[in-house]
């Protein structure tokens, strides 16, 4: 059932992502950070959803009528210089095999990041991007925090298998990093129950990190 639900959501969003690059970026971000396919139990568990979303993003660059422009601000320039520096240091790495493998993964992420910089230039784009990032990690923060409270800290909280945050320490860093984003969303939210829900989610994220 989860597999069909995920595939249904993915296929429903794809046509919109083709027309609007920023929607594709949000879809790819959700799939890459939350890894919802790892929560399924059937054929969807190992399906390359993020890779397919990235392919749609590249196609949308030639189809979309949205304005795409690179904001050449100092932080963006520093980011690109840092990526260039990673390429140089990898060339002189002590363990070239593993280093080039890791660089390959990083460059794929940075390529989509560059497209995101071009596509997410309106306030609503940025805030939706924050929502996707915050709730994708916040889901595991809530789940892990609830588990920590119900077990009295007797169990260890792990992230989704096969992801960048699968390790318990990596997940702890992620949920701590997402707390300021949740707090920002709380400050801009207009509904009091939404603000309360985000505050509670921040608390659960803190307990998840402890777990």
């Amino acid at each position: 059932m989860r597999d069909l639900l995920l595939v249904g959501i993915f296929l429903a969003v794809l046509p919109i992502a083709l027309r609007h690059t920023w929607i594709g970026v949000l879809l790819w971000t959700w799939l890459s950070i939350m890894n919802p396919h790892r929560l399924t139990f059937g054929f969807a568990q190992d399906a390359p959803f993020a890779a397919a979303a990235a392919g749609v993003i590249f196609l949308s660059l030639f189809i979309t009528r949205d304005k795409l422009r690179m904001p050449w601000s100092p932080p963006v320039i520093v980011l690109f210089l840092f990526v260039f520096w990673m390429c140089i240091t990898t060339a002189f790495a002590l363990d070239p095999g593993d280093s080039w493998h890791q660089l390959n993964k990083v460059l794929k992420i940075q390529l989509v990041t560059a497209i995101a910089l071009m596509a997410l230039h309106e306030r609503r784009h940025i805030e939706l991007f924050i929502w996707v990032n915050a709730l994708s990690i916040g889901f595991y923060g809530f789940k892990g925090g609830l588990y920590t409270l119900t077990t009295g800290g007797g169990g260890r909280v792990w992230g989704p298998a096969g992801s960048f945050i699968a390790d318990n320490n990596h997940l702890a860093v992620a949920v701590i990093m997402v707390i300021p984003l949740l707090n920002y969303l709380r400050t801009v939210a207009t509904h009091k129950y939404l603000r309360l829900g985000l505050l509670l989610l921040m608390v659960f994220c803190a307990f998840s990190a402890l777990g």
Side-chain angles (χ1 to χ4, degrees):
M1 185 63 182
R2 294 184 184 183
D3 300 73
L4 295 176
L5 177 61
L6 177 59
V7 171
I9 295 173
F10 182 72
L11 294 178
V13 177
L14 280 188
I16 308 174
L18 272 173
R19 295 196 301 270
H20 302 286
T21 305
W22 66 276
I23 295 291
V25 170
L26 297 183
L27 176 64
W28 179 86
T29 302
W30 173 58
L31 293 168
S32 299
I33 295 181
M34 184 178 173
N35 287 267
H37 54 290
R38 298 298 182 183
L39 302 176
T40 63
F41 303 103
F43 66 92
Q45 190 171 60
D46 296 315
F49 286 104
V56 169
I57 291 174
F58 291 125
L59 286 176
S60 73
L61 296 176
F62 304 98
I63 298 174
T64 185
R65 294 184 178 180
D66 296 343
K67 185 181 295 184
L68 301 174
R69 64 177 184 274
M70 180 64 70
W72 292 108
S73 60
V76 174
I77 295 173
V78 170
L79 172 63
F80 289 153
L81 289 174
F82 179 60
V83 173
F84 178 67
W85 179 246
M86 284 191 289
C87 295
I88 294 177
T89 55
T90 301
F92 297 94
L94 297 176
D95 187 355
D98 288 340
S99 298
W100 282 109
H101 175 70
Q102 185 66 24
L103 180 66
N104 180 54
K105 293 191 296 183
V106 170
L107 290 181
K108 290 177 181 177
I109 295 172
Q110 293 305 318
L111 181 59
V112 181
T113 300
I115 297 175
L117 288 169
M118 296 169 57
L120 305 175
H121 51 78
E122 295 182 13
R123 183 184 178 90
R124 66 189 180 102
H125 296 163
I126 302 299
E127 290 198 344
L128 285 172
F129 184 65
I130 295 174
W131 274 106
V132 171
N133 279 274
L135 295 185
S136 293
I137 298 295
F139 170 80
Y140 295 105
F142 174 78
K143 184 168 172 283
L146 186 63
Y147 177 72
T148 300
L149 290 172
T150 55
T151 61
R156 182 170 296 179
V157 178
W158 300 93
S163 71
F164 285 107
I165 55 174
D167 181 79
N168 62 311
N169 293 304
H170 297 168
L171 178 63
V173 172
V175 295
I176 290 173
M177 290 176 65
V178 85
I179 289 176
L181 296 179
L182 291 169
N183 187 55
Y184 166 76
L185 294 174
R186 184 185 64 83
T187 60
V188 299
T190 56
H191 200 288
K192 64 177 182 179
Y193 292 111
L194 180 57
R195 292 196 299 270
L196 178 60
L198 290 169
L199 180 61
L200 289 175
L201 182 54
M202 292 165 58
V203 174
F204 275 109
C205 283
F207 278 106
S208 177
L210 293 174

